[in-house]
Amino acid sequence: MESKPLNTPSTKMRIGSSNSYKLHELKFGAASHDILADFLINLNSKNREHLENVSEHAGAFKQSRLVESVFLICEVLRLEPFTAYQAIEILERFMINHIEELFAAAPPSGADGGKGDIYGSVLIKLSDKFMLLVFSCVQLASKLALHCSIVDNSTAVKFLQCLGYSYTKETLLESELNILKTLNFYISVPNPLTYVETLLEVLGYNDSDVPIKYLHKITQLVLQFVYLQRNPIYHNLLVATIENSTPSEVQRVKFLSVTEDSMLLAVSVIAASAFILNYTTWDQVLEELRCITGINGESISDFSHIILKQIMGSGTPLKSL
């Protein structure tokens, strides 16, 4: 059964355009009207570009245990939420490219063994340094925003020693350089928190009656919850979309364009948060989000409904982990 398409964002904007600015240079609530316009246009462009080049392995490194580990590392180091989401985005992109490189460099299956041997050797190489790679992604992410604390190598060595790892500063530098080279030094990709905060600020400019400060606090918690419950939430969304409880592998692959749509994720998180806030004009927020992004209102409503059901059904209170 073919999946019903969920609309992706259009370029329909409610505010004008001005000069270009980097997405991570301002804190929430500090951007002007014109800067926000550029943020939104830039984000929409980046989102479309990503959706046009989605890897079939997308989401493989956003499993709940790994995401939780990154969140906890950033919490212990007192890093801002931006760093955690950025680190996850860097890690996923790096690992997909790195694994492809390892398989490409492996000898032909007939030379030293079968595909199982190649797969095993790749896993061994990854397991030996995986924690180092995860932490290097956190380090790199901490250096991207001026308002975030930077994790220097001295702090990194001490932190990893507490976890039982004896990495040197030189090893840390080599790991960071490896990640940068693999990604062609392109690590400043928008993360979902950037989408959420930008849309919230635009929403605040367009409708001054929306309690943005309160909504912002709730969206941070809801987004964190969605990331920790990513697999069941998107599975339920897929099942609801195709109206079939047992999706095929083909349907799952086609659905990657939905699971990787950061704009759709952002508006749905905001819509779910507005409902939790018990904001009396929830329909108005939904309509405003539709006008800002061009995403079908039914798609936003369906996704936010899945998120709310998962929150209610998980028995997990919305609090910072």
Side-chain angles (χ1 to χ4, degrees):
M1 188 173 182
E2 294 297 324
S3 63
K4 300 174 183 176
L6 288 172
N7 293 339
T8 53
S10 73
T11 54
K12 182 177 181 181
M13 306 295 170
R14 288 288 303 277
I15 54 182
S17 174
S18 183
N19 298 323
S20 179
Y21 292 83
K22 292 182 180 179
L23 298 175
H24 51 266
E25 286 186 346
L26 295 171
K27 284 188 176 182
F28 179 77
S32 69
H33 178 282
D34 291 338
I35 292 175
L36 275 177
D38 281 348
F39 278 11
L40 193 56
I41 293 170
N42 194 357
L43 284 176
N44 187 63
S45 176
K46 294 292 185 184
N47 190 53
R48 283 182 172 275
E49 181 181 339
H50 176 60
L51 293 178
E52 290 171 359
N53 301 281
V54 172
S55 168
E56 61 179 313
H57 306 296
F61 293 92
K62 292 181 180 177
Q63 302 297 320
S64 60
R65 290 184 63 183
L66 180 54
V67 168
E68 184 177 11
S69 297
V70 174
F71 283 156
L72 289 174
I73 289 172
C74 291
E75 182 178 344
V76 171
L77 294 174
R78 298 182 179 180
L79 302 174
E80 296 190 16
F82 168 89
T83 305
Y85 290 103
Q86 195 68 29
I88 293 167
E89 293 301 315
I90 294 172
L91 178 65
E92 164 131 314
R93 283 165 169 76
F94 166 75
M95 290 303 300
I96 291 175
N97 282 274
H98 186 51
I99 290 175
E100 289 176 350
E101 289 179 352
L102 290 176
F103 273 104
S109 57
D112 297 319
K115 292 182 178 179
D117 294 331
I118 298 174
Y119 183 73
S121 65
V122 168
L123 285 181
I124 291 172
K125 287 181 180 179
L126 289 176
S127 61
D128 288 343
K129 58 179 181 179
F130 189 67
M131 185 60 199
L132 174 62
L133 293 171
V134 171
F135 199 86
S136 293
C137 290
V138 172
Q139 274 193 281
L140 289 170
S142 74
K143 298 173 182 178
L144 284 177
L146 297 177
H147 60 269
C148 289
S149 300
I150 294 177
V151 181
D152 59 36
N153 284 339
S154 295
T155 302
V157 168
K158 291 178 182 178
F159 183 87
L160 290 169
Q161 282 178 345
C162 292
L163 297 179
Y165 298 96
S166 55
Y167 294 117
T168 64
K169 293 181 180 179
E170 290 73 18
T171 304
L172 288 168
L173 286 171
E174 290 173 0
S175 178
E176 284 188 275
L177 187 58
N178 179 30
I179 293 170
L180 289 170
K181 286 182 176 179
T182 300
L183 296 177
N184 295 317
F185 292 84
Y186 181 56
I187 60 172
S188 186
V189 293
N191 67 61
L193 182 60
T194 304
Y195 283 86
V196 168
E197 292 191 332
T198 302
L199 287 171
L200 274 177
E201 291 206 53
V202 174
L203 182 62
Y205 269 111
N206 290 349
D207 187 352
S208 58
D209 292 332
V210 179
I212 294 299
K213 288 186 178 180
Y214 296 106
L215 194 54
H216 178 238
K217 292 179 180 179
I218 297 176
T219 56
Q220 286 188 312
L221 299 176
V222 172
L223 181 60
Q224 187 182 67
F225 177 86
V226 171
Y227 250 58
L228 291 169
Q229 295 289 317
R230 188 177 189 276
N231 284 351
I233 285 175
Y234 277 111
H235 171 76
N236 291 338
L237 181 60
L238 171 57
V239 168
T241 302
I242 65 174
E243 299 178 346
N244 189 325
S245 60
T246 55
S248 67
E249 187 59 31
V250 173
Q251 288 172 324
R252 290 188 182 279
V253 171
K254 287 184 177 181
F255 203 66
L256 285 174
S257 61
V258 175
T259 63
E260 291 299 304
D261 191 336
S262 295
M263 195 70 80
L264 174 62
L265 170 62
V267 292
S268 301
V269 165
I270 294 172
S273 301
F275 188 88
I276 292 172
L277 185 60
N278 197 26
Y279 185 53
T280 53
T281 54
W282 181 79
D283 290 338
Q284 182 180 335
V285 172
L286 193 68
E287 176 62 18
E288 192 65 41
L289 291 171
R290 185 194 67 78
C291 291
I292 292 171
T293 63
I295 299 177
N296 183 281
E298 185 178 355
S299 297
I300 303 173
S301 179
D302 289 346
F303 197 176
S304 60
H305 179 65
I306 294 294
I307 293 171
L308 290 167
K309 283 185 65 177
Q310 188 69 22
I311 291 172
M312 295 297 294
S314 69
T316 304
L318 278 179
K319 63 180 181 180
S320 181
L321 297 177

